[in-house]
PDB file of all heavy atoms in Angstrom:
ATOM      1  N   ILE A 283      11.971 -12.205   0.647  1.00  0.00           N
ATOM      2  CA  ILE A 283      11.353 -10.879   0.364  1.00  0.00           C
ATOM      3  C   ILE A 283      12.242 -10.058  -0.562  1.00  0.00           C
ATOM      4  O   ILE A 283      11.784  -9.365  -1.458  1.00  0.00           O
ATOM      5  CB  ILE A 283      10.979 -10.155   1.638  1.00  0.00           C
ATOM      6  CG1 ILE A 283       9.776 -10.833   2.299  1.00  0.00           C
ATOM      7  CG2 ILE A 283      10.691  -8.641   1.404  1.00  0.00           C
ATOM      8  CD1 ILE A 283       9.400 -10.307   3.689  1.00  0.00           C
ATOM      9  N   GLN A 284      13.546 -10.163  -0.346  1.00  0.00           N
ATOM     10  CA  GLN A 284      14.521  -9.426  -1.237  1.00  0.00           C
ATOM     11  C   GLN A 284      14.356  -9.970  -2.679  1.00  0.00           C
ATOM     12  O   GLN A 284      14.382  -9.189  -3.611  1.00  0.00           O
ATOM     13  CB  GLN A 284      15.941  -9.585  -0.711  1.00  0.00           C
ATOM     14  CG  GLN A 284      16.960  -8.770  -1.539  1.00  0.00           C
ATOM     15  CD  GLN A 284      16.716  -7.265  -1.410  1.00  0.00           C
ATOM     16  OE1 GLN A 284      16.383  -6.797  -0.318  1.00  0.00           O
ATOM     17  NE2 GLN A 284      16.980  -6.518  -2.451  1.00  0.00           N
ATOM     18  N   ASP A 285      14.226 -11.270  -2.790  1.00  0.00           N
ATOM     19  CA  ASP A 285      13.991 -11.831  -4.183  1.00  0.00           C
ATOM     20  C   ASP A 285      12.693 -11.304  -4.765  1.00  0.00           C
ATOM     21  O   ASP A 285      12.621 -11.032  -5.950  1.00  0.00           O
ATOM     22  CB  ASP A 285      13.941 -13.347  -4.084  1.00  0.00           C
ATOM     23  CG  ASP A 285      15.306 -13.979  -3.856  1.00  0.00           C
ATOM     24  OD1 ASP A 285      16.332 -13.297  -4.058  1.00  0.00           O
ATOM     25  OD2 ASP A 285      15.366 -15.185  -3.476  1.00  0.00           O
ATOM     26  N   PHE A 286      11.650 -11.140  -3.925  1.00  0.00           N
ATOM     27  CA  PHE A 286      10.384 -10.569  -4.370  1.00  0.00           C
ATOM     28  C   PHE A 286      10.570  -9.109  -4.830  1.00  0.00           C
ATOM     29  O   PHE A 286      10.096  -8.713  -5.866  1.00  0.00           O
ATOM     30  CB  PHE A 286       9.379 -10.655  -3.225  1.00  0.00           C
ATOM     31  CG  PHE A 286       8.068  -9.965  -3.535  1.00  0.00           C
ATOM     32  CD1 PHE A 286       7.154 -10.533  -4.384  1.00  0.00           C
ATOM     33  CD2 PHE A 286       7.750  -8.761  -2.949  1.00  0.00           C
ATOM     34  CE1 PHE A 286       5.906  -9.924  -4.660  1.00  0.00           C
ATOM     35  CE2 PHE A 286       6.534  -8.155  -3.196  1.00  0.00           C
ATOM     36  CZ  PHE A 286       5.633  -8.748  -4.034  1.00  0.00           C
ATOM     37  N   ILE A 287      11.324  -8.329  -4.038  1.00  0.00           N
ATOM     38  CA  ILE A 287      11.606  -6.964  -4.393  1.00  0.00           C
ATOM     39  C   ILE A 287      12.365  -6.848  -5.718  1.00  0.00           C
ATOM     40  O   ILE A 287      12.081  -5.985  -6.521  1.00  0.00           O
ATOM     41  CB  ILE A 287      12.426  -6.261  -3.253  1.00  0.00           C
ATOM     42  CG1 ILE A 287      11.594  -6.137  -1.976  1.00  0.00           C
ATOM     43  CG2 ILE A 287      13.007  -4.938  -3.693  1.00  0.00           C
ATOM     44  CD1 ILE A 287      12.413  -5.820  -0.753  1.00  0.00           C
ATOM     45  N   GLU A 288      13.297  -7.760  -5.899  1.00  0.00           N
ATOM     46  CA  GLU A 288      14.100  -7.764  -7.159  1.00  0.00           C
ATOM     47  C   GLU A 288      13.394  -8.469  -8.309  1.00  0.00           C
ATOM     48  O   GLU A 288      13.982  -8.671  -9.370  1.00  0.00           O
ATOM     49  CB  GLU A 288      15.427  -8.435  -6.862  1.00  0.00           C
ATOM     50  CG  GLU A 288      16.283  -7.625  -5.892  1.00  0.00           C
ATOM     51  CD  GLU A 288      17.521  -8.416  -5.423  1.00  0.00           C
ATOM     52  OE1 GLU A 288      17.731  -9.599  -5.873  1.00  0.00           O
ATOM     53  OE2 GLU A 288      18.314  -7.841  -4.636  1.00  0.00           O
ATOM     54  N   LYS A 289      12.093  -8.807  -8.096  1.00  0.00           N
ATOM     55  CA  LYS A 289      11.263  -9.428  -9.087  1.00  0.00           C
ATOM     56  C   LYS A 289      11.751 -10.770  -9.565  1.00  0.00           C
ATOM     57  O   LYS A 289      11.422 -11.246 -10.676  1.00  0.00           O
ATOM     58  CB  LYS A 289      11.052  -8.492 -10.286  1.00  0.00           C
ATOM     59  CG  LYS A 289      10.365  -7.173  -9.850  1.00  0.00           C
ATOM     60  CD  LYS A 289       9.995  -6.317 -11.030  1.00  0.00           C
ATOM     61  CE  LYS A 289       9.402  -5.000 -10.717  1.00  0.00           C
ATOM     62  NZ  LYS A 289       8.857  -4.638  -9.539  1.00  0.00           N
ATOM     63  N   LYS A 290      12.506 -11.491  -8.704  1.00  0.00           N
ATOM     64  CA  LYS A 290      12.895 -12.858  -8.956  1.00  0.00           C
ATOM     65  C   LYS A 290      11.717 -13.786  -8.633  1.00  0.00           C
ATOM     66  O   LYS A 290      11.655 -14.902  -9.111  1.00  0.00           O
ATOM     67  CB  LYS A 290      14.113 -13.246  -8.174  1.00  0.00           C
ATOM     68  CG  LYS A 290      15.341 -12.440  -8.572  1.00  0.00           C
ATOM     69  CD  LYS A 290      16.507 -12.818  -7.624  1.00  0.00           C
ATOM     70  CE  LYS A 290      17.738 -11.964  -7.904  1.00  0.00           C
ATOM     71  NZ  LYS A 290      18.818 -12.212  -6.936  1.00  0.00           N
ATOM     72  N   ILE A 291      10.803 -13.319  -7.813  1.00  0.00           N
ATOM     73  CA  ILE A 291       9.589 -14.017  -7.388  1.00  0.00           C
ATOM     74  C   ILE A 291       8.405 -13.093  -7.738  1.00  0.00           C
ATOM     75  O   ILE A 291       8.430 -11.898  -7.363  1.00  0.00           O
ATOM     76  CB  ILE A 291       9.591 -14.291  -5.899  1.00  0.00           C
ATOM     77  CG1 ILE A 291      10.715 -15.210  -5.514  1.00  0.00           C
ATOM     78  CG2 ILE A 291       8.253 -14.910  -5.467  1.00  0.00           C
ATOM     79  CD1 ILE A 291      10.864 -15.424  -4.011  1.00  0.00           C
ATOM     80  N   LYS A 292       7.439 -13.620  -8.451  1.00  0.00           N
ATOM     81  CA  LYS A 292       6.317 -12.787  -8.863  1.00  0.00           C
ATOM     82  C   LYS A 292       5.247 -12.651  -7.771  1.00  0.00           C
ATOM     83  O   LYS A 292       4.774 -11.573  -7.483  1.00  0.00           O
ATOM     84  CB  LYS A 292       5.683 -13.318 -10.128  1.00  0.00           C
ATOM     85  CG  LYS A 292       4.615 -12.435 -10.683  1.00  0.00           C
ATOM     86  CD  LYS A 292       4.098 -12.948 -11.982  1.00  0.00           C
ATOM     87  CE  LYS A 292       2.996 -12.043 -12.511  1.00  0.00           C
ATOM     88  NZ  LYS A 292       2.404 -12.491 -13.723  1.00  0.00           N
ATOM     89  N   ASN A 293       4.913 -13.772  -7.138  1.00  0.00           N
ATOM     90  CA  ASN A 293       3.881 -13.770  -6.069  1.00  0.00           C
ATOM     91  C   ASN A 293       4.514 -14.407  -4.824  1.00  0.00           C
ATOM     92  O   ASN A 293       5.261 -15.358  -4.923  1.00  0.00           O
ATOM     93  CB  ASN A 293       2.670 -14.601  -6.497  1.00  0.00           C
ATOM     94  CG  ASN A 293       2.005 -14.027  -7.693  1.00  0.00           C
ATOM     95  OD1 ASN A 293       1.653 -12.852  -7.734  1.00  0.00           O
ATOM     96  ND2 ASN A 293       1.838 -14.814  -8.726  1.00  0.00           N
ATOM     97  N   LEU A 294       4.156 -13.879  -3.668  1.00  0.00           N
ATOM     98  CA  LEU A 294       4.747 -14.367  -2.425  1.00  0.00           C
ATOM     99  C   LEU A 294       3.678 -14.436  -1.350  1.00  0.00           C
ATOM    100  O   LEU A 294       2.958 -13.472  -1.078  1.00  0.00           O
ATOM    101  CB  LEU A 294       5.868 -13.412  -2.004  1.00  0.00           C
ATOM    102  CG  LEU A 294       6.565 -13.732  -0.670  1.00  0.00           C
ATOM    103  CD1 LEU A 294       7.255 -15.097  -0.734  1.00  0.00           C
ATOM    104  CD2 LEU A 294       7.589 -12.640  -0.323  1.00  0.00           C
ATOM    105  N   ILE A 295       3.606 -15.587  -0.701  1.00  0.00           N
ATOM    106  CA  ILE A 295       2.763 -15.788   0.465  1.00  0.00           C
ATOM    107  C   ILE A 295       3.670 -16.233   1.567  1.00  0.00           C
ATOM    108  O   ILE A 295       4.427 -17.200   1.406  1.00  0.00           O
ATOM    109  CB  ILE A 295       1.644 -16.824   0.201  1.00  0.00           C
ATOM    110  CG1 ILE A 295       0.709 -16.345  -0.865  1.00  0.00           C
ATOM    111  CG2 ILE A 295       0.922 -17.161   1.497  1.00  0.00           C
ATOM    112  CD1 ILE A 295      -0.328 -17.350  -1.300  1.00  0.00           C
ATOM    113  N   ILE A 296       3.584 -15.562   2.743  1.00  0.00           N
ATOM    114  CA  ILE A 296       4.424 -15.920   3.899  1.00  0.00           C
ATOM    115  C   ILE A 296       3.482 -16.651   4.855  1.00  0.00           C
ATOM    116  O   ILE A 296       2.524 -16.073   5.367  1.00  0.00           O
ATOM    117  CB  ILE A 296       5.059 -14.675   4.534  1.00  0.00           C
ATOM    118  CG1 ILE A 296       5.948 -13.998   3.536  1.00  0.00           C
ATOM    119  CG2 ILE A 296       5.805 -15.077   5.801  1.00  0.00           C
ATOM    120  CD1 ILE A 296       6.420 -12.651   3.962  1.00  0.00           C
ATOM    121  N   SER A 297       3.808 -17.888   5.107  1.00  0.00           N
ATOM    122  CA  SER A 297       2.974 -18.706   5.997  1.00  0.00           C
ATOM    123  C   SER A 297       3.847 -19.331   7.079  1.00  0.00           C
ATOM    124  O   SER A 297       4.455 -20.390   6.858  1.00  0.00           O
ATOM    125  CB  SER A 297       2.255 -19.793   5.145  1.00  0.00           C
ATOM    126  OG  SER A 297       1.466 -20.602   5.975  1.00  0.00           O
ATOM    127  N   ILE A 298       3.893 -18.676   8.192  1.00  0.00           N
ATOM    128  CA  ILE A 298       4.606 -19.203   9.384  1.00  0.00           C
ATOM    129  C   ILE A 298       3.733 -18.963  10.584  1.00  0.00           C
ATOM    130  O   ILE A 298       2.814 -18.135  10.525  1.00  0.00           O
ATOM    131  CB  ILE A 298       6.014 -18.581   9.521  1.00  0.00           C
ATOM    132  CG1 ILE A 298       5.970 -17.102   9.687  1.00  0.00           C
ATOM    133  CG2 ILE A 298       6.926 -18.986   8.398  1.00  0.00           C
ATOM    134  CD1 ILE A 298       7.341 -16.457  10.012  1.00  0.00           C
ATOM    135  N   PRO A 299       4.004 -19.648  11.697  1.00  0.00           N
ATOM    136  CA  PRO A 299       3.148 -19.494  12.899  1.00  0.00           C
ATOM    137  C   PRO A 299       3.134 -18.041  13.443  1.00  0.00           C
ATOM    138  O   PRO A 299       3.977 -17.246  13.118  1.00  0.00           O
ATOM    139  CB  PRO A 299       3.808 -20.436  13.908  1.00  0.00           C
ATOM    140  CG  PRO A 299       4.605 -21.357  13.105  1.00  0.00           C
ATOM    141  CD  PRO A 299       5.069 -20.606  11.868  1.00  0.00           C
ATOM    142  N   PRO A 300       2.091 -17.754  14.221  1.00  0.00           N
ATOM    143  CA  PRO A 300       2.023 -16.442  14.855  1.00  0.00           C
ATOM    144  C   PRO A 300       3.254 -16.158  15.721  1.00  0.00           C
ATOM    145  O   PRO A 300       3.913 -17.098  16.189  1.00  0.00           O
ATOM    146  CB  PRO A 300       0.780 -16.556  15.749  1.00  0.00           C
ATOM    147  CG  PRO A 300      -0.063 -17.677  15.196  1.00  0.00           C
ATOM    148  CD  PRO A 300       0.949 -18.628  14.544  1.00  0.00           C
ATOM    149  N   GLN A 301       3.505 -14.875  15.904  1.00  0.00           N
ATOM    150  CA  GLN A 301       4.627 -14.442  16.772  1.00  0.00           C
ATOM    151  C   GLN A 301       6.008 -14.783  16.257  1.00  0.00           C
ATOM    152  O   GLN A 301       6.938 -14.980  17.045  1.00  0.00           O
ATOM    153  CB  GLN A 301       4.455 -14.920  18.195  1.00  0.00           C
ATOM    154  CG  GLN A 301       3.136 -14.481  18.867  1.00  0.00           C
ATOM    155  CD  GLN A 301       3.016 -12.973  18.981  1.00  0.00           C
ATOM    156  OE1 GLN A 301       3.908 -12.302  19.432  1.00  0.00           O
ATOM    157  NE2 GLN A 301       1.892 -12.456  18.547  1.00  0.00           N
ATOM    158  N   HIS A 302       6.147 -14.886  14.950  1.00  0.00           N
ATOM    159  CA  HIS A 302       7.460 -15.242  14.331  1.00  0.00           C
ATOM    160  C   HIS A 302       7.973 -14.086  13.510  1.00  0.00           C
ATOM    161  O   HIS A 302       8.940 -14.297  12.752  1.00  0.00           O
ATOM    162  CB  HIS A 302       7.399 -16.519  13.565  1.00  0.00           C
ATOM    163  CG  HIS A 302       7.430 -17.760  14.412  1.00  0.00           C
ATOM    164  ND1 HIS A 302       6.375 -18.155  15.206  1.00  0.00           N
ATOM    165  CD2 HIS A 302       8.450 -18.625  14.647  1.00  0.00           C
ATOM    166  CE1 HIS A 302       6.725 -19.243  15.826  1.00  0.00           C
ATOM    167  NE2 HIS A 302       7.973 -19.547  15.547  1.00  0.00           N
ATOM    168  N   GLY A 303       7.375 -12.908  13.537  1.00  0.00           N
ATOM    169  CA  GLY A 303       7.883 -11.763  12.851  1.00  0.00           C
ATOM    170  C   GLY A 303       7.286 -11.391  11.484  1.00  0.00           C
ATOM    171  O   GLY A 303       7.754 -10.498  10.804  1.00  0.00           O
ATOM    172  N   LYS A 304       6.196 -12.119  11.114  1.00  0.00           N
ATOM    173  CA  LYS A 304       5.580 -11.811   9.825  1.00  0.00           C
ATOM    174  C   LYS A 304       5.119 -10.381   9.708  1.00  0.00           C
ATOM    175  O   LYS A 304       5.435  -9.679   8.737  1.00  0.00           O
ATOM    176  CB  LYS A 304       4.371 -12.751   9.585  1.00  0.00           C
ATOM    177  CG  LYS A 304       4.600 -14.122   9.262  1.00  0.00           C
ATOM    178  CD  LYS A 304       3.366 -14.871   8.857  1.00  0.00           C
ATOM    179  CE  LYS A 304       2.222 -14.746   9.831  1.00  0.00           C
ATOM    180  NZ  LYS A 304       2.294 -15.515  11.046  1.00  0.00           N
ATOM    181  N   SER A 305       4.374  -9.946  10.716  1.00  0.00           N
ATOM    182  CA  SER A 305       3.862  -8.567  10.715  1.00  0.00           C
ATOM    183  C   SER A 305       4.986  -7.529  10.767  1.00  0.00           C
ATOM    184  O   SER A 305       4.935  -6.527  10.013  1.00  0.00           O
ATOM    185  CB  SER A 305       2.907  -8.320  11.857  1.00  0.00           C
ATOM    186  OG  SER A 305       1.775  -9.149  11.729  1.00  0.00           O
TER     187      SER A 305
END
Side-chain angles (χ1 to χ4, degrees):
I283 288 172
Q284 185 65 36
D285 288 344
F286 174 75
I287 292 166
E288 294 171 1
K289 299 187 184 341
K290 295 175 185 174
I291 297 173
K292 186 175 179 182
N293 298 306
L294 177 63
I295 295 174
I296 300 170
S297 180
I298 59 174
Q301 301 298 312
H302 280 74
K304 287 187 308 286
S305 295

